[in-house]
Amino acid sequence: MAGWGRTLHVATLLTGLLECLGFAGVLFGWASLVFVFKTEHYFEELCEPNVELTSNATDKSDCKGQDERFSLIFTLASFMNNFMTFPTGYIFDRFKTTVARLIAIFFYTSATLMIGFISADSALLLFLAMPMLTIGGILFLITNLQIGNLFGQHRSTIITLYNGAFDSSSAVFLIIKLLYEQGISLRASFLFLSVCSAWHLGRTFFLMPRGHIPYPVPPNYSYGLCSRFGIKGEEERRAEQEEKTVKHENRELQPKDFVSAQEESPGLGQQQEVHSFWSYVRSRRFAWHLVWLSLIQLWHYLFIGTLNSLLTNLADGDRGQVSAYTNAFAITQFFGVLCAPWNGLLMDCLKQRYQKEAGKTGLSSSAVALCSAVPSLALTSLLCLGFAICASVPVLSLQYATFILQVVSRSFLYGGNAAFLTLAFPSEHFGKLFGLVMALSAIVSLLQFPIFTLIKGPLQNNPFYVNVTLVLATLLTFVHPFLVYRECRVQKESPSLAM
């Protein structure tokens, strides 16, 4: 049965990867879907004849209102993607895996059916359908991240791999766009996504636990298919798991495990002070991490949400070029699944290196884990700065470089965010802190719509001043890795000051 259990674990891992890759983060392929919506004349009534054109006024229209409407839909949906992390995380913690996944399937299926049957006359329903699609997708991701617990030392790599798959799923809307250009209707594509709910249900009942996957996984742990073949179920092993957890907390930190401050055994003669949740929220470390995440995320959301409008301007309205660059952008998004694990591997390697040094310096394991996050934070900021500079230059061919930097930066951003919160704060507060930082960053992301309106209105479609301001704001993100680095230096010099 041990071999069967390992087979089940691998099947859960691969099908979870496929689920994240094909369904979880499709919203971020928005630019491809907008191209199809415009072809289907969604919100076309908001376009007006361009008064600056005389001879061909009927050929070209000013579709500022149409672009703003699509931008507003994406702003709302992307806001829900982050803000709903907090309540959906609570649902997952409180009601466990099966209930959370059934809710996800309901939202996702309802959204895909709604989009499938929407027409240009009922396009306002996109304001409801896209947020519902987002909520279902984020619940798919949350319930799948626990699969990393099944693979011990490879947990961090699997977590970042799943985050990368979430990013890469934006390529699904590219596939829908290409199928549309080959004569497959939008309705047929979304009805197919709706039918896939049967597959989600199958995973929920046969390849996922009813509760949570514990970490570390106890011997002979079973779930899904295994528990239906008479192997001892997870409910019968909770007492055993609690005993093993107590023993595990005193073990040496493994090089590929995410461990937070209060999971570590205190150093020699040290006493760890217990802090409340709100004391961590008010800490400088959390505040600057929020600034770091919010500013980088705002750049990504603004770029994705306005990409169709940007390409239309740079291509002087040439739909052929807009289509080609939209395809190129969506294709680069697919490679996020290959980029994200490198961030986890970087942190794992650094933790292993610092762990060897800790034995000589007396540095606590929690401080070692925190120091390993500095290069990841700094590299993510640097990638975002390069992406922001390229996006600010109004040269169409340069956008290929922008696409590459954007996907690498974004794939590093979310895996790095989850990893840092795991390393820098106690495990009992991780869920609340993760939900709070995502919710607060979602509020900042709402700025993308007024920024877009400012560019289209008072700035007369010239984003230069906005881009310069945002590039300068991006420089603030380097403060976060610097402060964490300085904190690590202090802890190395005075281990007794480690948190």
Side-chain angles (χ1 to χ4, degrees):
M1 278 300 183
W4 170 250
R6 175 55 59 179
T7 301
L8 181 66
H9 291 181
V10 173
T12 301
L13 170 68
L14 295 179
T15 55
L17 183 64
L18 180 60
E19 187 170 75
C20 289
L21 190 62
F23 303 93
V26 293
L27 170 70
F28 298 101
W30 180 245
S32 299
L33 201 58
V34 167
F35 186 89
V36 177
F37 286 155
K38 285 187 173 182
T39 306
E40 289 285 309
H41 312 295
Y42 286 30
F43 304 120
E44 198 170 71
E45 68 276 7
L46 299 176
C47 295
E48 300 176 355
N50 195 327
V51 296
E52 296 180 0
L53 298 174
T54 55
S55 60
N56 58 344
T58 58
D59 296 331
K60 285 193 176 182
S61 300
D62 179 8
C63 290
K64 178 180 71 174
Q66 184 189 40
D67 289 336
E68 288 181 352
R69 183 64 57 85
F70 284 124
S71 177
L72 183 57
I73 293 171
F74 179 79
T75 299
L76 178 62
S78 59
F79 167 78
M80 296 297 286
N81 179 73
N82 281 16
F83 188 79
M84 290 302 293
T85 302
F86 192 65
T88 52
Y90 173 79
I91 290 172
F92 176 57
D93 288 342
R94 176 69 177 82
F95 300 103
K96 309 298 173 37
T97 301
T98 299
V99 173
R101 286 184 59 82
L102 290 176
I103 293 173
I105 293 168
F106 169 76
F107 275 103
Y108 205 92
T109 307
S110 300
T112 51
L113 285 173
M114 199 178 301
I115 297 171
F117 286 99
I118 284 176
S119 64
D121 295 331
S122 56
L124 285 174
L125 286 174
L126 288 173
F127 280 99
L128 176 61
M130 297 310 298
M132 290 178 66
L133 191 72
T134 301
I135 295 170
I138 197 67
L139 267 172
F140 281 145
L141 176 64
I142 289 173
T143 56
N144 277 311
L145 287 178
Q146 62 180 325
I147 294 173
N149 294 347
L150 296 172
F151 295 91
Q153 295 184 354
H154 303 290
R155 180 167 64 139
S156 60
T157 302
I158 291 172
I159 289 173
T160 53
L161 180 66
Y162 273 24
N163 276 280
F166 179 85
D167 294 339
S168 295
S169 64
S170 57
V172 170
F173 282 170
L174 167 64
I175 296 173
I176 291 176
K177 173 181 176 291
L178 295 176
L179 291 174
Y180 178 83
E181 292 172 344
Q182 297 300 316
I184 306 297
S185 69
L186 197 63
R187 176 172 299 180
S189 295
F190 277 94
L191 286 179
F192 173 78
L193 292 178
S194 300
V195 172
C196 288
S197 295
W199 182 71
H200 298 310
L201 286 170
R203 283 200 75 240
T204 300
F205 292 111
F206 296 107
L207 292 176
M208 296 293 286
R210 293 180 182 178
H212 295 142
I213 298 175
Y215 183 80
V217 176
N220 299 319
Y221 171 73
S222 66
Y223 62 91
L225 282 173
C226 279
S227 54
R228 286 167 174 75
F229 280 101
I231 303 177
K232 186 167 56 173
E234 67 179 274
E235 295 293 332
E236 299 175 13
R237 253 190 309 277
R238 283 183 177 175
E240 178 184 347
Q241 167 61 18
E242 290 175 359
E243 294 177 2
K244 291 184 177 296
T245 300
V246 173
K247 296 178 181 179
H248 174 77
E249 288 178 349
N250 294 322
R251 292 177 185 171
E252 182 180 358
L253 176 70
Q254 297 299 321
K256 290 193 176 182
D257 289 338
F258 283 156
V259 184
S260 61
Q262 288 188 4
E263 285 179 316
E264 305 302 327
S265 301
L268 295 176
Q270 296 179 14
Q271 295 290 332
Q272 284 193 318
E273 183 181 355
V274 178
H275 297 283
S276 69
F277 166 70
W278 290 109
S279 68
Y280 288 107
V281 172
R282 292 190 294 266
S283 68
R284 184 180 67 179
R285 185 188 294 178
F286 181 82
W288 276 106
H289 185 68
L290 176 61
V291 171
W292 178 83
L293 174 65
S294 299
L295 289 176
I296 297 177
Q297 180 176 258
L298 177 61
W299 250 119
H300 287 287
Y301 281 4
L302 181 64
F303 182 75
I304 294 171
T306 62
L307 179 62
N308 183 267
S309 176
L310 171 67
L311 294 177
T312 300
N313 292 332
L314 294 180
D316 293 325
D318 186 336
R319 286 184 59 82
Q321 283 193 310
V322 173
S323 178
Y325 275 86
T326 300
N327 293 350
F329 172 73
I331 291 171
T332 58
Q333 298 303 296
F334 180 78
F335 290 96
V337 69
L338 302 178
C339 300
W342 291 102
N343 194 16
L345 289 171
L346 171 65
M347 299 177 74
D348 287 342
C349 291
L350 289 172
K351 276 192 290 183
Q352 189 173 12
R353 173 187 167 189
Y354 291 143
Q355 175 107 23
K356 295 178 180 178
E357 297 177 358
K360 303 176 182 178
T361 62
L363 194 64
S364 69
S365 296
S366 59
V368 167
L370 184 63
C371 293
S372 68
V374 174
S376 173
L377 295 172
L379 181 58
T380 304
S381 296
L382 185 62
L383 287 167
C384 180
L385 181 62
F387 150 63
I389 292 173
C390 289
S392 301
V393 179
V395 177
L396 186 60
S397 58
L398 185 62
Q399 299 316 303
Y400 287 120
T402 305
F403 298 161
I404 295 172
L405 289 170
Q406 189 271 339
V407 70
V408 177
S409 172
R410 186 164 172 263
S411 63
F412 271 51
L413 175 63
Y414 292 108
N417 168 53
F420 179 79
L421 292 174
T422 309
L423 298 171
F425 300 99
S427 59
E428 61 266 28
H429 296 313
F430 171 76
K432 296 186 289 291
L433 288 171
F434 181 77
L436 183 61
V437 77
M438 295 299 283
L440 293 175
S441 67
I443 295 174
V444 176
S445 72
L446 291 174
L447 290 173
Q448 60 184 297
F449 182 69
I451 290 173
F452 181 75
T453 304
L454 176 66
I455 294 172
K456 286 290 185 178
L459 296 181
Q460 299 180 347
N461 226 23
N462 182 6
F464 176 77
Y465 295 106
V466 169
N467 288 340
V468 170
T469 302
L470 289 176
V471 167
L472 293 176
T474 304
L475 296 176
L476 283 175
T477 64
F478 287 94
V479 175
H480 181 40
F482 172 75
L483 291 177
V484 176
Y485 170 75
R486 192 172 69 174
E487 185 178 346
C488 289
R489 289 293 300 269
V490 171
Q491 291 186 13
K492 285 182 179 179
E493 295 171 1
S494 303
S496 61
L497 297 177
M499 195 167 103

